[in-house]
Amino acid sequence: IEQLTDEALESYPAQAELYYLNAFAKNKLKKYKEAIETFEMALEFAIDNTSLENKIYKQMVLAYSALGNTKKSEEYNRKIKKGL
């Protein structure tokens, strides 16, 4: 999925969902720092998409936790909008 979404992002660089999928794959491959950078890009394009923002925040919590950065993990956990 990582390679496929890398290629798709070359053609469609403003698609928040593609950034999310790419970063999700990086998270699964334990490429946490790369995943965080890509999730941040996804957030730039996830305008008025609370559901996607929540998915991104949840994955960022996992990535920062895996890196041992509890401060950042807690920061993104607080950003998750409950009830969605």
Side-chain angles (χ1 to χ4, degrees):
I1 290 178
E2 180 185 19
Q3 182 179 356
L4 181 62
T5 54
D6 278 337
E7 293 169 9
L9 281 167
E10 288 178 23
S11 298
Y12 307 100
Q15 298 297 314
E17 291 83 1
L18 290 177
Y19 283 104
Y20 170 77
L21 291 172
N22 184 267
F24 183 86
K26 290 178 190 310
N27 241 7
K28 291 296 182 186
L29 295 170
K30 299 182 181 180
K31 298 179 180 181
Y32 302 115
K33 290 180 182 179
E34 290 178 39
I36 289 167
E37 290 176 14
T38 308
F39 282 127
E40 288 171 351
M41 290 293 298
L43 284 172
E44 289 183 28
F45 295 105
I47 301 166
D48 296 328
N49 188 339
T50 305
S51 176
L52 181 59
E53 287 176 357
N54 277 346
K55 288 180 185 179
I56 294 167
Y57 295 149
K58 288 175 185 176
Q59 288 298 312
M60 289 182 82
V61 167
L62 295 175
Y64 277 117
S65 292
L67 292 173
N69 190 337
T70 55
K71 183 178 178 182
K72 280 290 206 179
S73 178
E74 290 169 1
E75 175 186 329
Y76 281 99
N77 194 40
R78 285 190 299 273
K79 291 184 177 196
I80 297 169
K81 293 166 181 68
K82 307 299 181 202
L84 299 176

